Amino acid sequence: MTKNRILTGLIIIGLVLPQIVYSQGFGIPSKKWGLGFGNLPKFTGVRINSADRNVKSVIGINITSWMAKDIDEQTGSFYGLGIGLPMAMGTENRYGASFGLLAVGATENVFGINLGGVAVGGNNVKGINIGGLAVGSGEDLFGINIGGLAVGSGNDITGINIGGFAVGAGNNVSGLNVSAIAVGSGKNVSGITLGVLAVGAGENMMGLNFGGLAVGAGEKLIGINIGGLAVGAGEKVIGLNASVLAVGSGDVLGGITIAGIAAGAPTIKGLTVAPVVGGMKVSGIILAPVHLRVTSGNSIDSEAIMKGISLSAYNHIEGVQKGLTIGIFNYAYKVKGLQLGILNYNRDNPKGLRLLPVFNTGFGRNKD
């Protein structure tokens, strides 16, 4: 009989206790502090609840399993140690340290140390955040952020950011950013950026930038820029620029540029080393073993100009040469500097002095 009574009592408790816990909860010694069970909206101490709903303030250790389905019921703030079995979620703000077998998150702020077996997320996420698959925020993500697959933000990402496949932000990415596939942003990327495949920015990229295949920016690329296949920007590429295939810019290419096949931009400045180099206004030192071409193309507003020193098998300047060219064959529309090579052609010279061996220069205005 005694065993039956005990068993009956446990069954009754097992049936009644969850209803009490879910509906209003109770605390020992108080519903405000101590050891709490259920959805106690304002509590300090150790609190155990199935799903947090309409929370005002919870301080201490909070153990939950799920979150309210209605986002309007995810209110209030939690401060302390949060444990999710499997999800540490259900409030507007979460501060402290939180661990979830599946996920850690809040509708607004997630600040502190956060570890989610699958994901960590919120509108603003700051601190040390590790997600088995992803770490993300609707607005800003700040701190040390590691996602097994990805780290992402709708606004800015700042700090140490490591994504297995990708790191990306709608606006800016800054700090140390590493991904096995790609790192990118809608606006600016700054700091140390490493992508096994590619790194890119919609506007500007500054710092140390390495992409296994490519490094690119919509506007300016400034710093140490290394791309396995290509480095390029819509406006300027300035700094130490290197690529196995090509380096190029829509406006200015400056600094030290090394490319395995070609380097080009309307304006080239500094030291440029590539088998083929092309531009409209070229200055500095050019080492182009195969071909240097300086041309204005279809532009009628700008004149092609070469200044500095160029060493190339074929120096082809469809404009004014104001520097020194050294090669097998040197060709220019007008020479105000010096050509040294096996054959040297200055189209502006008088007849008989246009094509000369060894050297050529400007011997007088062509009257023809």
Side-chain angles (χ1 to χ4, degrees), residues 47-69:
R47 179 177 178 272
I48 302 173
N49 186 30
S50 59
D52 286 340
R53 297 175 294 108
N54 299 315
V55 169
K56 293 182 179 179
S57 176
V58 174
I59 302 172
I61 299 175
N62 192 45
I63 302 173
T64 57
S65 60
W66 216 252
M67 61 180 178
K69 294 181 179 179

Side-chain angles (χ1 to χ4, degrees), residues 143-167:
I144 300 174
N145 309 296
I146 302 173
L149 292 182
V151 172
S153 169
N155 192 28
D156 297 335
I157 296 180
T158 305
I160 299 174
N161 311 297
I162 301 173
F165 286 98
V167 174

Side-chain angles (χ1 to χ4, degrees), residues 148-283:
L149 292 182
V151 172
S153 169
N155 192 28
D156 297 335
I157 296 180
T158 305
I160 299 174
N161 311 297
I162 301 173
F165 286 98
V167 174
N171 283 341
N172 305 310
V173 175
S174 60
L176 172 60
N177 311 295
V178 181
S179 173
I181 304 296
V183 177
S185 76
K187 289 189 176 180
N188 304 311
V189 175
S190 61
I192 299 174
T193 306
L194 309 173
V196 175
L197 288 186
V199 297
E203 293 184 1
N204 305 313
M205 183 176 293
M206 296 171 284
L208 170 59
N209 310 300
F210 173 83
L213 293 181
V215 174
E219 295 182 4
K220 299 174 184 176
L221 186 58
I222 301 173
I224 299 175
N225 311 299
I226 301 173
L229 296 182
V231 172
E235 293 183 4
K236 297 181 180 181
V237 177
I238 298 174
L240 173 58
N241 316 298
S243 172
V244 174
L245 294 183
V247 178
S249 171
D251 187 9
V252 178
L253 178 60
I256 299 174
T257 301
I258 302 172
I261 294 180
T267 300
I268 297 177
K269 303 177 181 180
L271 172 62
T272 306
V273 182
V276 177
V277 176
M280 185 168 62
K281 298 182 184 297
V282 178
S283 62

Side-chain angles (χ1 to χ4, degrees), residues 41-101:
K42 190 172 183 179
F43 193 81
T44 300
V46 179
R47 179 177 178 272
I48 302 173
N49 186 30
S50 59
D52 286 340
R53 297 175 294 108
N54 299 315
V55 169
K56 293 182 179 179
S57 176
V58 174
I59 302 172
I61 299 175
N62 192 45
I63 302 173
T64 57
S65 60
W66 216 252
M67 61 180 178
K69 294 181 179 179
D70 191 344
I71 194 170
D72 291 336
E73 293 183 324
Q74 299 181 38
T75 62
S77 301
F78 164 71
Y79 307 85
L81 173 62
I83 300 174
L85 302 173
M87 300 176 67
M89 302 179 71
T91 59
E92 185 176 9
N93 304 301
R94 180 171 292 271
Y95 306 101
S98 297
F99 306 91
L101 292 179

Side-chain angles (χ1 to χ4, degrees), residues 277-355:
V277 176
M280 185 168 62
K281 298 182 184 297
V282 178
S283 62
I285 299 174
I286 308 298
L287 303 178
V290 178
H291 184 34
L292 166 67
R293 186 180 184 189
V294 181
T295 177
S296 59
N298 296 323
S299 175
I300 59 175
D301 298 325
S302 298
E303 184 179 30
I305 298 175
M306 177 269 174
K307 299 178 182 179
I309 301 173
S310 175
L311 281 75
S312 178
Y314 179 25
N315 291 294
H316 185 175
I317 301 168
E318 298 176 0
V320 180
Q321 176 189 326
K322 294 184 178 181
L324 170 65
T325 57
I326 302 173
I328 296 173
F329 181 49
N330 300 307
Y331 177 96
Y333 283 3
K334 181 183 292 186
V335 178
K336 293 184 178 181
L338 180 63
Q339 296 173 323
L340 296 177
I342 295 176
L343 290 175
N344 306 280
Y345 186 89
N346 178 6
R347 196 178 73 171
D348 191 57
N349 274 348
K351 290 183 178 180
L353 296 176
R354 293 176 183 173
L355 182 63

Side-chain angles (χ1 to χ4, degrees), residues 73-139:
E73 293 183 324
Q74 299 181 38
T75 62
S77 301
F78 164 71
Y79 307 85
L81 173 62
I83 300 174
L85 302 173
M87 300 176 67
M89 302 179 71
T91 59
E92 185 176 9
N93 304 301
R94 180 171 292 271
Y95 306 101
S98 297
F99 306 91
L101 292 179
L102 288 182
V104 173
T107 59
E108 281 299 323
N109 302 311
V110 178
F111 295 171
I113 300 173
N114 307 293
L115 173 61
V118 175
V120 175
N123 205 31
N124 290 291
V125 180
K126 299 180 181 181
I128 300 174
N129 310 295
I130 301 173
L133 293 183
V135 174
S137 68
E139 292 188 4

